Amino acid sequence: MPDSGGSRAQREHIPTSGTRPGTDSAPLTPHGDAGALSVDPGAPQVTAPAGLPAAPEAGGLKAARRTGFLVTMVLGGLTALPPLSMDMYLPALPAVTDSLSAPAATIQLTLTACLAGMALGQLVVGPMSDRWGRRRPLLLGMVVYVIATAICALAPSAELLIGFRLLQGLAGAAGIVIARAVVRDLYDGVEMARFFSTLMLISGVAPIIAPLIGGQVMRFTDWRGIFVVLTGVGIVLTLVVWKWLHETLEPGSRHTGGVGEALRTMRGLLADRVFTGYMVTGGLAFAVLFAYISASPFVVQEIYGASPQTFSLLFGLNSIGLIAVGQINGKLLVGRISLDKVLGFGLAVIVLAAVALLLMTTGVFGEVGLVPVAAGLFVLMSAMGVAMPNTNAQALMRTKHAAGSASALLGTSSFLIGAIASPLVGIAGEDTAVPMAVVQVVCAVAAVGCFLGLCRPWQRVGREAGGL
C-alpha cells in the first residue's frame, strides 16, 4: 500500500487542481507548455491538455474517497479479472481445438475476440463513468460479464464461443477501465504510481494461480468447467463491488454532455503528444506480453512437449517475476528515480529478451531446449513489471479532468494492439515459435521508438532545468 499521507482523502486540507493554499479559487499559474508535466513524478498536473475543460476541484464525499485495505482488494480484483478470463483458459486451448474440431488459428480467435471486446468496451464505459459515476456502469458490466461467461460454458461451436467471448470482453471492460479511473480519482503523482504497483501485486496473483486452476480443472472435467469457475468468480466479484465499492466521482466532477462531448474529450487527449506517446508505448509493450500469452500454450506444450501442469507452473513462475519487479518499482524506485528512466530501462530489457528469443527460435544457437526459451520468457515477463505501471501512471498524471476517458483510451489501445498481435503468432502453424518471437521483437522495438519519438523525456528534463 502507498505510505500514509499519500491519498487525497488523507490530505484534503491541501488544495489540489491548481488552487492556492488558503483560498477557494485563485488559480496557480502553470509553467511551461499547457499540459506539460514536471519531470518530478510526484508533481501534480495543474493544467489540462489543449482543447479540454479544466479539472474540477476536489472536495466532499470523504467516505467514498477512503482507500482502505478492502477497497484496494476490490480494485485488485477488478484488475485481476482480465488475466483470470484469459489465463485460466490457456491450458485448455489444445483441448478446445480437439473438442470443437477447429484449427488452432480459429481457437486463438477466442482470445482475440475477448481482447477486442475489452478494447471496444472501454471506449464506451470510460465516458459513461465520467458522466454517471463509477458504480452504476461497473455493476451493469459485471452482470453482463457473468451472463456471457455462463453461456461460453455451453457453446457448441467455435463460432458461438468466439461470439460470446467477444461479449464477455465487452462487459469485462467495465472492471478494467473503472478500476484505473478510481485510482486516478483517489491519487496523484508518485502515490498513483505506487498504487498501480500495489494493484499489480494483487492482480498479479491471478496469472500465477489462473493457469494452475485451469490445469487442475482440466484433470476433473473438460474445458467447459473453466468457464463455470469463471462464472462463479464473476458472481462473487459483482456482490463485493455492490456492497463495498463506494462512488469516487462526486456529482460536481461529472461531465454532463453526451456523445459529442465524449468525442471532443478524447480528441483533446489524443492531441496531447506526450499522453499519446505513453498510451501507444504501453499498448505496444502489452502486445509483446500478449504475443507470449496467446502463443505460449502451443510453444511450451506442442513444440517442447510439456504437460498442461508444467506449462501452468512455468506461466506462474513468469508471473512471479513480473510481480517481484513491479514491487521493486513501487517500493524502491518510484520517488527515487525518474519514472522515465525506469521505463526506458524496462523497455531496453524487453527488446534484448525478445531478440534473444528470436535468435533461439530461429536456430542461431543450434537446437535449444525448453529451459533457455523459458529463461528468455521469464526475463521478458519480468521487465513488464516496470513498463506497464509506469506508462499508465505517466499518462494519467497528465489528466485528472477526464480520468474515465483517459483510462478508456489507455486500455483500448493496449487491447486492440494485443488483439492484432494475437493471430499473427499462429500464422505459421503450431510447429514453430518463430512468429511469436518476430511479433515480440517488432512490437518491442516500436515501443522504444514511440517512447523516444513522442514522449521525448529529455525535453521535459531540459525545460525543468531551465526553470520553465
Side-chain angles (χ1 to χ4, degrees), residues 122-200:
Q122 290 182 69
L123 286 177
V124 177
V125 177
M128 284 175 60
S129 73
D130 282 337
R131 183 175 183 183
W132 289 300
R134 313 305 186 197
R135 263 181 68 87
R136 285 187 291 175
L138 176 58
L139 287 170
L140 176 62
M142 292 302 301
V143 169
V144 176
Y145 172 88
V146 168
I147 295 172
T149 305
I151 296 176
C152 284
L154 305 174
S157 66
E159 292 76 18
L160 198 60
L161 180 60
I162 291 171
F164 279 100
R165 286 283 278 175
L166 176 64
L167 181 60
Q168 183 191 44
L170 287 168
I176 309 167
V177 67
I178 292 178
R180 273 197 305 264
V182 168
V183 173
R184 187 63 188 94
D185 291 341
L186 299 171
Y187 283 95
D188 287 308
V190 167
E191 296 305 324
M192 181 168 59
R194 286 177 176 160
F195 198 87
F196 275 126
S197 292
T198 300
L199 288 186
M200 179 168 288

Side-chain angles (χ1 to χ4, degrees), residues 57-359:
E57 294 188 25
L61 297 182
K62 293 182 180 180
R65 292 182 182 273
R66 285 198 296 266
T67 54
F69 175 78
L70 185 58
V71 173
T72 304
M73 295 301 294
V74 173
L75 296 180
L78 292 174
T79 57
L81 195 60
L84 279 176
S85 301
M86 294 289 179
D87 301 341
M88 193 182 297
Y89 175 64
L90 292 180
L93 282 178
V96 177
T97 300
D98 295 335
S99 174
L100 299 181
S101 301
T106 299
I107 297 304
Q108 282 176 327
L109 286 176
T110 61
L111 295 175
T112 302
C114 190
L115 266 184
M118 289 180 179
L120 297 175
Q122 290 182 69
L123 286 177
V124 177
V125 177
M128 284 175 60
S129 73
D130 282 337
R131 183 175 183 183
W132 289 300
R134 313 305 186 197
R135 263 181 68 87
R136 285 187 291 175
L138 176 58
L139 287 170
L140 176 62
M142 292 302 301
V143 169
V144 176
Y145 172 88
V146 168
I147 295 172
T149 305
I151 296 176
C152 284
L154 305 174
S157 66
E159 292 76 18
L160 198 60
L161 180 60
I162 291 171
F164 279 100
R165 286 283 278 175
L166 176 64
L167 181 60
Q168 183 191 44
L170 287 168
I176 309 167
V177 67
I178 292 178
R180 273 197 305 264
V182 168
V183 173
R184 187 63 188 94
D185 291 341
L186 299 171
Y187 283 95
D188 287 308
V190 167
E191 296 305 324
M192 181 168 59
R194 286 177 176 160
F195 198 87
F196 275 126
S197 292
T198 300
L199 288 186
M200 179 168 288
L201 172 62
I202 300 169
S203 64
V205 173
I208 297 175
I209 65 173
L212 295 174
I213 295 174
Q216 294 305 311
V217 169
M218 292 287 290
R219 296 182 62 181
F220 300 102
T221 182
D222 61 6
W223 59 271
R224 299 179 189 276
I226 293 176
F227 287 106
V228 173
V229 174
L230 285 172
T231 301
V233 170
I235 292 173
V236 170
L237 191 54
T238 302
L239 294 175
V240 168
V241 168
W242 176 74
K243 184 171 178 61
W244 282 299
L245 186 63
H246 300 288
E247 182 59 62
T248 61
L249 186 66
E250 55 189 277
S253 299
R254 298 176 188 177
H255 294 191
T256 57
V259 175
E261 181 185 346
L263 293 176
R264 285 192 297 272
T265 299
M266 290 187 176
R267 185 170 64 247
L269 288 167
L270 293 174
D272 179 2
R273 170 179 53 78
V274 180
F275 173 86
T276 301
Y278 286 119
M279 178 188 73
V280 180
T281 298
L284 289 166
F286 185 82
V288 176
L289 173 65
F290 199 73
Y292 157 75
I293 291 174
S294 58
S296 59
F298 297 98
V299 171
V300 174
Q301 296 179 74
E302 301 297 329
I303 298 177
Y304 293 99
S307 67
Q309 289 71 35
T310 300
F311 164 74
S312 300
L313 290 172
L314 290 176
F315 196 93
L317 181 63
N318 290 339
S319 299
I320 290 174
L322 186 150
I323 293 172
V325 173
Q327 293 313 292
I328 292 173
N329 176 69
K331 304 298 183 184
L332 300 179
L333 302 180
V334 170
R336 294 179 174 86
I337 303 175
S338 163
L339 293 185
D340 281 326
K341 290 182 180 179
V342 178
L343 175 57
F345 175 78
L347 292 174
V349 172
I350 291 172
V351 169
L352 291 176
V355 170
L357 286 168
L358 180 61
L359 294 177

